[in-house]
Amino acid sequence: MSGEIQKVAVIGTGVIGASWSALFLARGLDVIATDPAPGAEARLRDYIATAWPALVALGAVAPGGTPERLSFTAALSGISGADFAQENGPERLPFKQDLYRQLDEILPPEVIIATSSSGLTMTDIQKGCARHPERCLVGHPFNPPHLIPLVELVAGQKTAPQSVCRADEFYTGLGKRTIRLNKEVPGHVANRLQGVLVREIISLVNEGVVSVADADAACSWGPGLRWGVMGPVMLNHLGGGEGGIEHFYAQFAKPLETWWTPLAPLAFTPDVQQRMIEGLRAEVAGRTVQSLAAERDALLLALLKARREREDA
């Protein structure tokens, strides 16, 4: 990362783009952000100001890192001087393809274009990138990217392996934890894992087994605490005691199969959605999205600091 990438273009400054901007600035990079929405610049600067104390507390602000290195342009052509592009546009394939056609014309061929897309494949997106599709890949973060380390790297059919390596080096240099997918699947990996859990929660609520609040509590106060420390397969290994994963599978392979049995066919109909919404509103109990996000970030910050201290030790 050092020397090669000094200015990052952030295309789309909603929640994900704003969070990326905060991280890039904290790591001492120049950021040129673009978003055609009215009031986008003011919202972006407000977000960065709100996020900055957490980055300071985390020790993520490098020498030279400052919000003052942010510039903004409403015109997409204004990002032409960037060394790296992080795209955060709407999850609509025709929109993405047209956007990549424009980015392909604006940015020099050596500039990597990474999408934050949570589900679209790069093979489909880069069809709009006729000149240099080899520099396009998925660099999918998790919300909020300025705190959550994970970035999923996924190549499209026309992505050059060197582009993935360069993106990996860049993200790792920012302090991110990258994983590389060996093949494309809709939703990538982590969202697919989340999706299985969410599907089961919806099914349990719909069948009257548990409330939304208690399902959330079962996750966050049970296995979710462990998942913040180690992955499920490693935890299975520990669950096997001295016999490790082999003993765990010997003991639990059959019970696991019974747990995988769906309760009933599930269609995410408007009625089912409304049941989830009503349950969630009861759990929220009048708290604002802003206050809930602040609570989330404070707890994430504490966990991240604890994990870093342990890794340093």
Side-chain angles (χ1 to χ4, degrees), residues 121-157:
T121 66
M122 180 46 64
T123 292
D124 287 334
I125 294 173
Q126 67 189 174
K127 289 177 181 177
C129 195
R131 296 182 180 182
H132 297 286
E134 72 280 355
R135 38 87 167 267
C136 302
L137 74 155
V138 172
H140 176 236
F142 279 77
N143 188 33
H146 69 280
L147 294 181
I148 301 294
L150 182 64
V151 177
E152 297 176 312
L153 301 177
V154 196
Q157 290 180 358

Side-chain angles (χ1 to χ4, degrees), residues 31-51:
V31 172
I32 174 68
T34 182
D35 193 313
E41 180 177 2
R43 288 191 295 272
L44 172 59
R45 294 187 184 278
D46 286 345
Y47 184 101
I48 292 168
T50 300

Side-chain angles (χ1 to χ4, degrees), residues 193-206 260-267:
L193 296 174
Q194 288 187 124
V196 172
L197 179 59
V198 169
R199 191 264 183 217
E200 190 65 13
I201 289 172
I202 294 170
S203 181
L204 289 165
V205 172
N206 191 52
W260 292 336
T261 305
L263 293 176
L266 177 66

Side-chain angles (χ1 to χ4, degrees), residues 123-255:
T123 292
D124 287 334
I125 294 173
Q126 67 189 174
K127 289 177 181 177
C129 195
R131 296 182 180 182
H132 297 286
E134 72 280 355
R135 38 87 167 267
C136 302
L137 74 155
V138 172
H140 176 236
F142 279 77
N143 188 33
H146 69 280
L147 294 181
I148 301 294
L150 182 64
V151 177
E152 297 176 312
L153 301 177
V154 196
Q157 290 180 358
K158 295 183 178 180
T159 304
Q162 182 59 23
S163 295
V164 179
C165 291
R166 288 176 58 212
D168 197 348
E169 181 182 357
F170 172 63
Y171 290 126
T172 301
L174 296 173
K176 308 299 280 183
R177 181 64 64 92
T178 62
I179 65 169
R180 296 193 193 187
L181 275 63
N182 297 321
K183 61 172 65 177
E184 294 178 295
V185 290
H188 318 315
V189 167
N191 274 340
R192 292 181 71 90
L193 296 174
Q194 288 187 124
V196 172
L197 179 59
V198 169
R199 191 264 183 217
E200 190 65 13
I201 289 172
I202 294 170
S203 181
L204 289 165
V205 172
N206 191 52
E207 291 291 309
V209 175
V210 71
S211 68
V212 170
D214 282 350
D216 273 349
C219 295
S220 63
W221 289 101
L225 286 174
R226 299 186 302 183
W227 294 335
V229 179
M230 293 179 180
V233 182
M234 181 66 79
L235 290 167
N236 287 166
H237 180 56
L238 298 181
E242 291 298 323
I245 191 72
E246 293 86 356
H247 181 66
F248 181 87
Y249 284 164
Q251 293 283 2
F252 292 105
K254 288 299 181 183

